[in-house]
């Protein structure tokens, strides 16, 4: 508790924010609206306003505090929403030098720093709320001051805040669509942040329950989570629970998994989706604030449309978050069953949950309706609904927290009792030792006792995790600040800044001594590995350049719409990035689609380019087989209108040259044609709309037996078994290119099929070219080769190592339609390319390439007996002559080892 109080004192010293002219900052918005931090105006900026007032001949417009007839209203916004409206008004005004008086700024600042809480009526629309806010600021409204309700004028008089008369221009702001947009966005963001802080409380409560009932830590390990799901929200909750229970003796691998209650085992999987929905809501609200700020800066008329769209998306986000909040509350109630004696707590939680369910159900049904059908057309009303539900949900959660605190109090009493027994036993043993006359032993024991008393205990005596202990201590500290007899429900709230900060710190705390890890599917590369890698890169680059290719570069992330729809079923492996201000972005999956986008955007009609860079796939990695989530690709692509199969044959020659230039052993190039594959499926009786799904299944034949692939076609893809059997006959056709081609030309189904026959003629042309290039012996014509990517339209190929089980080391094909997808005119630029899988090559080479030098040092400058300056002079001269020189970093070396 001492630590918790110390942290509170530190935060108290920083509870002041300075508002400048740089626009509204969302952190300041939460601090001023929710936590009532003191607001100060930047002195220099305020003086500029006052000087502008004097220059324009403006005089202070202090209004008289006359009683006015106050409009009546049944429901009002929350106190925090009202403060958010005032702070937003102040922030907007502070960016309008020359249009707003300095006295108005001081008035709004004094109002925020006073104990006055205005009561803003809950109106039917955001525009009406803005008008109501103006009325209050002009003196017509009600408020609450330290629990006492009064008219606004009475409160101003009692608090010594001077009422300022607004100018007509200042009043006009409250009718501007962009100002209304800013108000609603600010209120929406404040409610979203309160929801976010509440969701952190749910994680802390779950961690406290896991500690109270004792839990196996294995359920929260990354490996266990990844086996079940790749959901980002689940992974985030698991990370929070691990941080809460860091160093715990009660949540540990030593606790048998079988002893862990079922309600606790699935905390991550059940909390995750709801937490993800909450995070999505917060990001959307943050984007709305940014958009509103931008609209105010530019005063764009498009603010009207933006506000309309904002209303629809914001109310829908609130509806989803309400459902998530209800789910979190229900899970909290379920976890009560993990405690030994929880019948009374369960009964109370069920009552509170039923109330929350009724309120949420009514609210959600209204929020999702359009305004014309009686739904909420107001973002501010939706945000107010969310705040009320958060308060109700915290009452449900408080039941779990109260039970967890009470349980740990019992544990604490038991620990204390055992400590007293040990102390009593120690004294008895000392007494016996004294009676037996063992004086020397007594002196040693007394010395040991003093050392023990002087030692500082660094671990939690209850065996709690670092984060859980921090949260529990914050709860006890908050309780100590309240009156006697309060319960957790009375103070567990995201409005308690100290408690909310402690909860956030608890789920974020990390032991700096924890062994660091790298993300799954990635690896660090040591100097010897990099030496081999650079050697291979150099070989590949030289081959590309030998064929006249030029290099380009593209961003490591692309717009999501650029990548989606290009990879078939593999699209689920694309890494999506968090929304960073309106753009939906993803890490590039390969280098081909960005290249097609590059060609279309730059109006290129012909290019032979190579590109060596990292790509990212959310796949299940296999490090031993060279399958990673982050890896390099080395691509060569030829775009342009050229003769049939001429560029294709050169690409095949490039692959053969590269694979023969690196020591990886024997290989073969499998080739097929996408049009031939489609013709084969047509001949077998596969409907056209199932071509791509069936191709995706066929593509797995290099990893799975035919029986498994057939089962997928029949039971998952809905294909007739007879059709699947016919496909099975065709995909077994493979072998030497010209012999296989001749065999296919003898099958009437293929020769009588127009597309199949035309494609076989193209393949015949290809093999004539590969004969000329001397690489046909390296090829295998294989009808089972499918290549799962959707953008292939012609020849496809794949290089595999014979005798090694590392998958393909190179692959590619023709994609004539991909560039046209990114062209405004739809102009098609035919293209063909290949990608070298460098990681799989490296997996083979690292075990065989030994003795590769890590550096290229040619000269080592050494001396006997000092001479440091002379050595450095020689090094400098050699470096200027482009000679690679090694330096010894000792002034007077004796025995030095130098890496070579």
């Amino acid at each position: 508790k001492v630590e918790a109080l110390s942290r509170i004192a530190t935060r108290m010293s920083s509870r002041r924010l300075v508002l400048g002219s740089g626009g509204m900052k969302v952190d300041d918005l939460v601090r001023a609206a929710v936590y009532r931090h003191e607001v100060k105006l930047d002195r220099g900026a305020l003086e500029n306003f006052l000087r502008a007032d004097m220059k324009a001949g403006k005089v202070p417009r202090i209004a008289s505090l006359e009683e006015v007839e106050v409009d009546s209203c049944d429901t009002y916004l929350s106190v925090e929403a009202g403060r958010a409206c005032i702070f937003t008004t102040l922030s907007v005004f502070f960016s309008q030098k020359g249009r707003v008086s300095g006295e108005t700024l001081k008035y709004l600042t004094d109002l925020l720093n006073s104990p006055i809480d205005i009561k803003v009526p809950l109106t039917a629309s955001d525009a009406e709320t803005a008008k109501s806010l103006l009325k209050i600021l002009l003196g017509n409204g009600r408020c609450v001051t330290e629990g006492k309700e009064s008219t606004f004028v009475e409160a101003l008089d009692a608090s010594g805040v001077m009422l300022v008369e607004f100018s007509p221009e200042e009043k006009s702001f409250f009718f501007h669509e962009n100002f209304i947009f800013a108000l609603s966005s600010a209120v929406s963001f404040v409610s979203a942040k309160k929801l976010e802080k509440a969701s952190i409380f749910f994680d802390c409560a779950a961690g406290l329950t896991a500690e109270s009932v004792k839990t196996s830590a294995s359920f929260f390990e990354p490996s266990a989570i990844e086996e079940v799901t790749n959901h980002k929200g689940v992974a985030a909750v698991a990370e929070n629970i691990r941080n809460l229970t860091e160093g715990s003796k009660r949540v540990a691998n030593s606790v048998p998994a079988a002893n862990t209650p079922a309600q606790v085992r699935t905390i991550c999987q059940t909390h995750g989706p709801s937490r993800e929905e909450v995070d999505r809501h917060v990001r959307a609200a943050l984007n709305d604030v940014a958009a509103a700020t931008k609209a105010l800066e530019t005063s764009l008329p498009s603010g009207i449309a933006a506000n309309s769209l904002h209303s629809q998306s914001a109310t829908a986000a609130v509806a989803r978050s309400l459902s998530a909040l209800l789910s979190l509350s229900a899970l909290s109630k379920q976890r009560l069953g993990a405690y030994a004696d929880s019948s009374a707590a369960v009964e109370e939680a069920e009552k509170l949950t039923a109330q929350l369910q009724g309120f949420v159900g009514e609210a959600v049904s209204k929020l999702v309706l359009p305004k014309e059908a009686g739904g909420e057309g107001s973002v501010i009303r939706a945000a107010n609904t969310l705040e009320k539900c958060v308060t109700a949900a915290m009452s449900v959660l408080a039941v779990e927290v109260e039970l967890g605190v009470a349980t740990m109090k019992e544990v604490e009493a038991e620990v204390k009792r055992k400590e007293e027994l040990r102390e009593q036993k120690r004294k008895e043993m000392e007494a016996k030792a004294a009676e037996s006359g063992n004086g020397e032993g007594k002196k040693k024991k007394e010395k040991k006792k003093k050392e023990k008393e002087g030692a500082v205990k660094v671990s939690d005596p209850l065996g709690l995790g670092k984060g859980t202990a921090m949260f529990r201590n914050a709860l006890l500290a908050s309780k100590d600040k309240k009156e006697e007899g309060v319960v957790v429900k009375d103070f567990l709230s995201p409005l308690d800044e100290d408690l909310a900060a402690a909860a956030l710190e608890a789920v974020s705390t990390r032991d700096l001594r924890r062994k660091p890890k790298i993300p799954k599917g990635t690896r660090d590369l040591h100097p010897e590995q990099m030496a081999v890698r650079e050697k291979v890169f150099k070989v590949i680059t030289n081959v590309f350049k030998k064929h006249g290719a030029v290099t380009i570069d593209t961003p490591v992330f692309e717009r999501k719409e650029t990548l989606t729809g290009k990879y078939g079923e593999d699209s689920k492996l694309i890494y999506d990035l968090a929304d960073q201000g309106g753009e939906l972005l993803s890490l590039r999956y390969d280098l081909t689609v960005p290249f097609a986008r590059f060609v279309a955007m730059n109006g290129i009609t012909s290019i032979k380019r190579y590109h060596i860079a990292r790509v990212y796939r959310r796949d299940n990695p296999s490090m031993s087989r060279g399958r990673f989530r982050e890896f390099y690709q080395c691509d060569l692509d030829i775009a342009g209108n050229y003769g049939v199969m001429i560029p294709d044959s050169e690409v095949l020659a490039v692959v053969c040259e590269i694979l023969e230039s690196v020591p990886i052993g024997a290989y073969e190039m499998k080739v097929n044609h996408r049009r031939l594959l489609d013709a084969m499926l047509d001949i077998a009786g596969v409907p056209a709309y199932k071509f791509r799904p069936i191709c995706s299944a066929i593509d797995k034949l290099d990893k799975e037996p035919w029986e498994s692939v057939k089962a997928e076609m029949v039971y998952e893809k809905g294909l007739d078994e007879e059709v699947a059997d016919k496909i099975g006959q065709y995909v077994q056709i493979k072998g030497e290119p010209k012999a296989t081609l001749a065999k296919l030309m003898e099958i009437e189904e293929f020769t009588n099929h127009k597309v199949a026959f035309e494609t076989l003629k193209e393949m015949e042309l290809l093999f004539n070219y590969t004969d000329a290039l001397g690489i046909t012996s390296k090829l295998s014509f294989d009808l089972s080769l499918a290549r799962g990517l959707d953008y292939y339209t012609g020849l496809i190929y794949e290089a595999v190592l014979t005798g090694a089980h590392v998958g393909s080391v190179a692959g590619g094909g023709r994609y004539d339609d991909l560039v046209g997808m990114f062209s405004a005119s739809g102009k098609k630029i035919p293209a063909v390319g290949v990608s070298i899988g460098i990681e799989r090559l490296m997996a083979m080479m690292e075990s065989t390439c030994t003795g590769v030098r890590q550096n290229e040092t040619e000269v080592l400058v050494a001396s006997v007996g000092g001479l440091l300056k002379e050595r450095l002079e020689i090094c400098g001269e050699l470096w200027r002559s482009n000679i690679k020189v090694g330096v010894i970093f000792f002034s007077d070396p004796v025995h030095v080892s130098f890496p070579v």
Side-chain angles (χ1 to χ4, degrees), residues 349-617:
E350 285 180 346
K351 190 185 302 180
L352 293 169
T353 304
Q355 294 175 356
L356 177 63
Q357 284 175 334
F359 189 57
V360 170
E362 180 183 354
V364 169
S365 64
K366 198 170 185 182
L367 284 168
V368 296
L369 287 174
K371 185 177 178 181
E372 298 76 20
E376 296 286 11
S378 166
V379 174
I380 295 177
R381 285 181 68 94
N384 199 68
T385 299
L386 178 59
E387 289 192 40
K388 288 184 177 179
C389 285
V390 168
T391 303
M394 295 308 291
S395 298
V396 179
L397 183 66
V399 178
E400 181 186 9
V401 174
E402 187 81 64
L403 191 56
V405 170
T407 301
M408 293 315 302
K409 191 173 182 179
E410 293 174 3
V411 173
E412 187 176 25
E414 181 64 17
V415 170
K416 187 176 181 181
R417 187 184 67 80
K418 290 181 178 179
E419 184 63 33
E420 289 174 351
L421 289 175
R422 280 195 295 269
E423 181 66 18
Q424 182 181 350
K425 190 174 182 180
R426 183 185 63 78
K427 289 180 178 179
E428 291 173 356
M429 291 177 66
E430 286 181 358
K432 287 181 180 180
E435 291 174 4
S436 63
N438 190 356
E440 188 67 28
K442 183 178 179 182
K443 289 180 181 178
K444 288 182 179 178
K445 284 184 173 62
E446 287 178 354
K447 184 179 179 182
K448 197 172 182 180
K449 178 184 175 184
K450 289 180 179 178
E451 291 175 351
K452 186 176 180 182
E453 289 174 350
V456 179
K457 290 185 179 181
V458 294
S459 60
D460 186 87
L462 303 180
L464 294 177
K466 187 177 179 181
T468 311
M470 187 182 299
F471 178 62
R472 176 177 178 268
N473 291 337
L475 285 169
L476 297 177
S478 293
K479 189 173 183 179
D480 288 346
K481 292 190 299 181
K482 308 297 180 182
E483 297 178 359
E484 189 70 26
V486 298
V487 293
V488 172
K489 186 170 67 173
D490 296 330
F491 61 84
L492 185 66
S493 167
L495 300 180
D496 187 322
E497 183 178 11
D498 298 322
L499 192 55
L504 179 60
E505 191 175 352
V507 298
S508 306
T509 185
R510 289 180 179 273
D511 189 344
L512 297 178
R513 296 168 296 176
R514 179 189 289 180
K515 185 178 178 181
K517 296 180 180 179
I518 59 174
K520 184 180 179 182
T522 64
R523 62 172 178 166
D524 293 323
L525 295 172
H526 295 267
E528 58 271 19
Q529 294 173 304
M530 285 302 300
V532 175
R533 181 174 292 256
E534 287 180 351
K535 183 179 178 181
V536 176
F537 279 156
K538 190 173 182 179
V539 169
I540 293 173
T541 302
N542 286 341
V543 173
F544 287 159
K545 289 183 176 179
K546 183 168 65 175
H547 284 261
V550 295
T551 189
I552 66 167
D553 198 11
T554 58
V556 73
F557 51 85
E558 296 273 354
R559 294 175 68 90
K560 185 174 180 179
E561 62 193 39
T562 300
L563 303 181
T564 51
K566 314 296 190 305
Y567 304 108
E569 293 185 359
D570 284 349
S571 290
K572 64 180 180 293
L573 304 181
I574 295 174
Y575 269 110
D576 294 331
L577 299 179
D579 190 350
Q580 296 297 327
E583 281 191 316
L584 297 179
L585 306 174
S586 300
L587 293 177
R588 60 188 176 201
Y589 178 89
D590 64 7
L591 300 177
T592 306
V593 172
F595 168 65
R597 191 262 311 150
F598 173 88
V599 171
M601 278 185 63
N602 292 280
I604 296 170
T605 56
S606 63
I607 186 174
K608 183 191 290 186
R609 84 88 171 85
Y610 73 91
H611 191 184
I612 299 176
R614 283 189 172 101
V615 297
Y616 302 85
R617 296 182 184 179

Side-chain angles (χ1 to χ4, degrees), residues 295-330:
L296 282 165
E297 288 174 357
T298 55
S299 295
L300 295 176
S302 59
I304 297 174
N307 194 26
S308 175
L309 182 62
H310 160 62
S311 175
Q312 298 172 26
S313 62
T315 52
V318 169
R320 293 192 298 269
S321 291
L322 285 172
S323 298
L325 188 63
L326 184 59
S327 175
L328 289 171
S329 302

Side-chain angles (χ1 to χ4, degrees), residues 621-828:
S622 175
M623 312 296 273
S624 61
R625 299 183 62 189
R627 183 188 297 157
F628 300 91
R629 289 182 168 178
E630 178 194 54
F631 56 94
Y632 271 97
Q633 281 190 340
C634 306
D635 279 22
L636 174 75
D637 292 84
I638 303 173
N641 286 286
Y642 301 110
V644 178
M645 289 296 180
I646 300 175
D648 309 64
S649 60
E650 184 185 8
V651 171
L652 293 175
V654 167
V655 178
C656 292
E657 285 183 46
I658 290 173
L659 296 182
E660 289 172 4
S661 300
V662 291
I664 57 171
Y667 69 92
E668 71 171 359
M669 284 284 294
K670 297 180 181 180
V671 297
N672 197 4
H673 201 293
R674 206 61 183 272
R675 293 183 68 211
L676 181 61
L677 192 61
D678 288 349
M680 179 190 78
L681 296 178
D682 188 31
I683 293 168
V686 178
Y689 69 91
K690 288 188 178 181
F691 280 7
R692 293 289 79 83
I694 297 302
C695 279
S696 178
I698 293 173
D699 191 43
K700 299 175 183 177
L701 280 171
D702 61 335
K703 309 179 193 72
E704 300 177 9
W706 165 248
E707 289 73 18
S708 299
V709 173
K710 176 184 174 181
E712 179 180 340
M713 290 180 179
V714 174
Y715 300 113
E716 294 183 25
K717 313 291 187 185
L719 199 64
D720 290 342
E721 189 170 354
E722 293 181 2
V723 175
D725 288 337
K726 199 165 186 180
I727 293 173
Q729 296 174 11
Y730 291 144
V731 296
Q732 294 177 20
I733 300 175
K734 64 183 71 175
E736 194 277 330
K738 291 197 171 180
T740 305
L741 179 63
K743 183 177 180 180
L744 290 171
M745 293 293 269
E746 294 174 356
I747 301 175
E748 290 187 8
E749 288 93 335
F750 283 86
T751 54
N752 292 337
H753 193 285
K754 181 182 178 182
V755 174
F757 184 72
E758 290 175 353
T759 307
L760 290 175
K761 284 296 184 181
E762 286 186 13
M763 295 300 288
E764 183 179 17
L765 194 60
L766 172 70
F767 297 144
N768 289 335
Y769 296 150
T770 57
D771 277 345
L773 293 170
I775 61 170
T776 304
S777 61
K778 300 294 183 181
L779 307 183
S780 171
F781 193 177
D782 189 341
L783 262 64
S784 68
L785 179 65
R787 301 288 294 167
L789 304 182
D790 277 0
Y791 53 67
Y792 289 128
T793 58
L795 182 70
I796 52 177
Y797 33 83
E798 205 169 74
V800 295
L801 304 182
T802 56
H805 301 285
V806 294
S808 63
V809 294
R814 174 162 288 279
Y815 49 98
D816 290 345
D817 299 334
L818 187 58
V819 175
M821 292 182 182
F822 301 108
S823 173
S825 62
K827 181 181 179 181
K828 293 184 179 181

